[in-house]
Amino acid sequence: MRHFTILVLLTALGACAETSDDTSDTSDTSDREAETARQQGLDKADAPTFFGLYTTSTTTLAEGDVPDLELISGGTYVRRRCYHSDCSLPVAETDHYDTYKSTSGKTYVRFYGFATQWNTTHDDRTQVPVVVDVYEITTTTTTIHLRKSYTSRWLTLRKTSAATRCTNTGGSWHATTCSCPGDTGWSDTEYVGFVAGAGGCTTIPGVSESECDASGGYYTDDDATLVSTFCQCDRGEYLASDGCTAL
């Protein structure tokens, strides 16, 4: 999976309720359906209603929250996902997603990563797609609402633009690109870059090929991921400044 750690300061909109603890869905069998159903494509009817770039204004984040998200029409995603209590480890991730409609009519988005599978002689490996996590999703014309499966917490994300994410995180927008403060381009140490779907201007771990290989990652050579990194890590890991590290 493609990862890097980011920290983005988001401005709260005090009058807007961005989270909710409605407990009505915590035991819903629809969650089990969505968690266990086989991989499938995007729902042609529902998926287009939530394509786009989104962010939340809440500054009170919790484990499992996705405060920044881009759902791309081709079936790939970029997101910032909270790990551990109080979102102490925000991680930028990218891979593919699919959608699922439960028998009760609820719509889910399922985010994928990969797990390494070795051959019998342990001299070759492949990336096997696996579900990282699952969220019920609802929409309005300007928002999406996400609830992680088996939880009661809803998070509201509002439609935004790359230009807005650029300027709100200290950058300067130039037609189609963002110049971030301190951006000196890619290096094999930490550097600053812009990833709209993961929040905007942020610090990116520039892991070298040797560090990636030594930590069990997959180096992408000259092909940067959608989160501007060059090392992919298994599910359950993230890309730190010295390679793939357990979450």
Side-chain angles (χ1 to χ4, degrees):
M1 187 180 304
R2 305 147 190 165
H3 302 275
F4 65 84
T5 303
I6 64 173
L7 298 175
V8 178
L9 179 62
L10 299 176
T11 302
L13 301 177
C16 299
E18 297 293 323
T19 61
S20 171
D21 288 322
D22 177 6
T23 60
S24 61
D25 294 310
T26 55
S27 60
D28 197 330
T29 56
S30 295
D31 288 6
R32 290 192 290 275
E33 282 185 43
E35 289 271 356
T36 59
R38 63 183 178 84
Q39 185 174 202
Q40 55 193 38
L42 299 179
D43 185 285
K44 293 182 180 179
D46 287 328
T49 65
F50 51 75
F51 292 157
L53 179 64
Y54 300 88
T55 189
T56 187
S57 63
T58 184
T59 57
T60 306
L61 298 174
E63 161 73 23
D65 282 352
V66 180
D68 295 286
L69 176 64
E70 184 174 14
L71 294 172
I72 302 168
S73 60
T76 55
Y77 71 86
V78 176
R79 69 178 186 174
R80 182 169 65 111
R81 203 274 202 192
C82 290
Y83 291 93
H84 309 315
S85 60
D86 301 321
C87 195
S88 60
L89 180 63
V91 176
E93 302 173 330
T94 182
D95 206 287
H96 72 284
Y97 69 96
D98 66 8
T99 55
Y100 177 79
K101 179 68 73 65
S102 73
T103 54
S104 65
K106 295 181 179 181
T107 300
Y108 291 81
V109 57
R110 306 189 302 181
F111 296 103
Y112 284 77
F114 69 84
T116 294
Q117 184 175 82
W118 290 91
N119 63 0
T120 55
T121 55
H122 210 71
D123 58 5
D124 191 24
R125 57 181 181 165
T126 57
Q127 296 179 357
V128 179
V130 292
V131 174
V132 175
D133 46 35
V134 176
Y135 292 77
E136 184 182 355
I137 184 169
T138 64
T139 66
T140 70
T141 56
T142 59
T143 65
I144 59 172
H145 310 276
L146 296 177
R147 179 188 63 84
K148 189 179 182 304
S149 58
Y150 305 118
T151 73
S152 60
R153 178 179 172 85
W154 285 90
L155 185 70
T156 298
L157 292 87
R158 301 180 184 281
K159 282 187 176 180
T160 186
S161 66
T164 298
R165 298 313 303 140
C166 175
T167 56
N168 284 0
T169 54
S172 299
W173 186 252
H174 308 283
T176 59
T177 61
C178 180
S179 298
C180 294
D183 186 354
T184 57
W186 186 87
S187 70
D188 60 3
T189 58
E190 287 189 343
Y191 66 102
V192 176
F194 177 74
V195 183
C201 292
T202 186
T203 300
I204 302 170
V207 174
S208 68
E209 183 173 2
S210 60
E211 289 173 323
C212 182
D213 292 342
S215 61
Y218 295 77
Y219 198 70
T220 62
D221 297 318
D222 296 327
D223 300 320
T225 69
L226 292 181
V227 291
S228 297
T229 58
F230 291 85
C231 185
Q232 301 173 330
C233 302
D234 274 34
R235 178 188 62 176
E237 299 178 339
Y238 74 103
L239 187 60
S241 58
D242 56 355
C244 296
T245 304
L247 287 165

